[in-house]
Amino acid sequence: MPQQGRVVFSRMEEVVFGRPAAEAVAEIAARAGARRVFLLVSGTLNRETEEVARLRAALDGRVAAVCDRMPAHTPRAAVVAAAEMAREAGADLIVTLGGGSVTDAAKAIQLCLANDIRSPEAIAALLPVAQADGSLGPPPGCRPPTIRQVAVPTTLSAGEFSAIAGVTDEATRVKALIRHPAIIPRAVVLDPAITRHTPEWLFLSTGIRAVDHCVEGICSGEAHPFADAQALRGLALLAAGLPRVKADPADLAARLDCQLGAWLSMAPLATGVPMGASHGIGYVLGAAHGIPHGHTSCLMLPAVLRWNHPVNAGRQALVAAAMGVPGAEAAALLEGLIAGLGMPRRLADVGIGAAQFDAIAEAAMATPWVPRNPRPIAGPAAVREILALAA
């Protein structure tokens, strides 16, 4: 039987790359007819750089409010508070400038505004449910957003290219994924110059997060050629570009290659290819232990590849070839890349030991991705095996 599949294209309208962010955002806002722009921005960028001021100046009086208080991992309470600011400002467009937590917050805010969500507890009403085809999607009655987002990312996590928002419940310390096809930003602006303000560890580690998107997409048992083409090219750009940025932080061409690689890395997720155990375990490490997402990929991806190797060695060979070393062990190549960037490589490096493995393994089984890992994971014992490889 020939391979079958279905690729659904997103509602993103454009990606602008290699231009100054303020200039590009102003043009996009003008085309959208926006008159009351809500800026959701990195607090550090707002306090310590001129980037937010440049954005405000370019928007020329069309900024209705600015919020620069979104914590890491996008807590529910902070999302609701920012939504209330946007509501009070009468926002007709949300522009984000910052990393993944800011980007995800704006995606969730769009649904909060459309569905009159006014408390952290009420966000539960936005959580996805199984659709008729078995996929996860918005719950019945969930109204689509009418106020869209323009994203200017400063890291390489690439969440701006998905219609998924990760929001953390502070009470349970569990990150849930909110899904709606219309919450993907209408436009993304990739400005390499703006990323020079991003701390080196954050830029490089989120680059490994993008590598993780590529690798788990390529190695998935549900991979398809459309996603492969983009993920393989994205991996090649990232594997070459990240060491160049490490060697010379002023290399804007290398930074742009990394941004383009991160964009391409999202093709698997955006076209229905699931991630695997690296992402699933990473969600738990982030939400329950406060480990940055980029670091979770540094810690888990090589171990997951080694554990999966018996079932997808052929797919892992594609990873090695894309990284420029055909025939090498993909896990070893990734370990070398991660080490060369100065990133943590073992769970012990971030204070996670065997005493915590049981709780992490139990929680990982409840994530969306562990059950979709290419080598079936029947229960927490298998997750503990992977954790032991990363110890």
Side-chain angles (χ1 to χ4, degrees):
M1 174 70 70
Q3 184 178 18
Q4 297 182 0
R6 177 173 179 256
V7 174
V8 178
F9 293 98
S10 80
R11 301 186 189 182
M12 182 174 289
E13 296 175 10
E14 58 183 308
V15 177
V16 179
F17 58 91
R19 292 182 57 199
E23 172 188 297
V25 168
E27 292 177 6
I28 293 166
R31 287 197 294 273
R35 298 188 178 277
R36 299 191 61 78
V37 177
F38 178 62
L39 295 182
L40 182 63
V41 302
S42 154
T44 302
L45 285 179
N46 196 23
R47 292 187 302 270
E48 300 180 8
T49 79
E50 297 299 314
E51 300 297 349
V52 176
R54 289 192 188 98
L55 197 51
R56 295 189 70 154
L59 287 167
D60 193 21
R62 288 174 285 173
V63 175
V66 180
C67 176
D68 66 355
R69 299 187 298 275
M70 184 56 56
H73 301 295
T74 321
R76 285 186 180 190
V79 169
V80 170
E84 189 59 34
M85 285 185 67
R87 189 179 288 116
E88 291 178 357
D92 58 9
L93 181 69
I94 302 170
V95 172
T96 57
L97 173 61
S101 295
V102 168
T103 302
D104 273 9
K107 289 191 280 187
I109 287 166
Q110 293 176 71
L111 286 181
C112 288
L113 295 175
N115 293 276
D116 199 32
I117 301 296
R118 295 176 181 265
S119 72
E121 296 74 21
I123 285 183
L126 303 176
L127 297 180
V129 298
Q131 309 295 296
D133 63 358
S135 65
L136 291 174
C142 180
R143 292 185 292 274
T146 57
I147 299 168
R148 299 291 301 279
Q149 174 185 0
V150 176
V152 184
T154 57
T155 68
L156 300 171
S157 296
E160 60 275 4
F161 294 107
S162 82
I164 301 171
V167 178
T168 299
D169 183 339
E170 299 95 319
T172 63
R173 302 182 75 180
V174 171
K175 177 170 280 192
L177 301 182
I178 295 171
R179 301 167 182 264
H180 195 293
I183 64 172
I184 194 169
R186 68 175 289 163
V188 173
V189 176
L190 301 177
D191 176 358
I194 233 170
T195 70
R196 291 178 298 180
H197 303 295
T198 304
E200 180 186 80
W201 74 268
L202 183 58
F203 186 83
L204 297 177
S205 67
T206 55
I208 297 299
R209 185 68 169 177
V211 167
D212 201 352
H213 300 329
C214 293
V215 171
E216 290 219 297
I218 294 162
C219 292
S220 171
E222 301 171 54
H224 56 72
F226 182 87
D228 283 351
Q230 296 179 70
L232 288 165
R233 177 59 175 154
L235 178 57
L237 287 168
L238 288 159
L242 290 167
R244 288 164 57 205
V245 174
K246 176 70 173 177
D248 179 7
D251 187 341
L252 293 186
R255 287 180 177 272
L256 182 58
D257 278 354
C258 292
Q259 289 182 305
L260 294 172
W263 172 19
L264 295 173
S265 80
M266 290 301 289
L269 266 173
T271 57
V273 179
M275 299 292 96
S278 179
H279 277 70
I281 298 170
Y283 284 174
V284 178
L285 294 175
H289 297 277
I291 299 171
H293 282 156
H295 284 171
T296 67
S297 291
C298 295
L299 300 168
M300 296 313 308
L301 182 57
V304 168
L305 282 180
R306 287 200 167 98
W307 195 82
N308 285 339
H309 192 266
V311 303
N312 64 3
R315 301 300 292 181
Q316 292 194 30
L318 297 177
V319 170
M323 295 182 70
V325 193
E329 182 197 21
L333 290 177
L334 288 163
E335 283 180 332
L337 174 62
I338 292 163
L341 299 177
M343 295 294 108
R345 297 171 52 209
R346 317 302 303 178
L347 288 168
D349 295 340
V350 296
I352 301 293
Q356 293 145 299
F357 286 2
D358 285 350
I360 293 169
E362 291 283 351
M365 292 304 301
T367 66
W369 302 135
V370 166
R372 307 285 289 278
N373 191 66
R375 180 178 173 186
I377 295 177
V383 179
R384 288 194 294 271
E385 291 178 8
I386 297 171
L387 292 169
L389 291 173

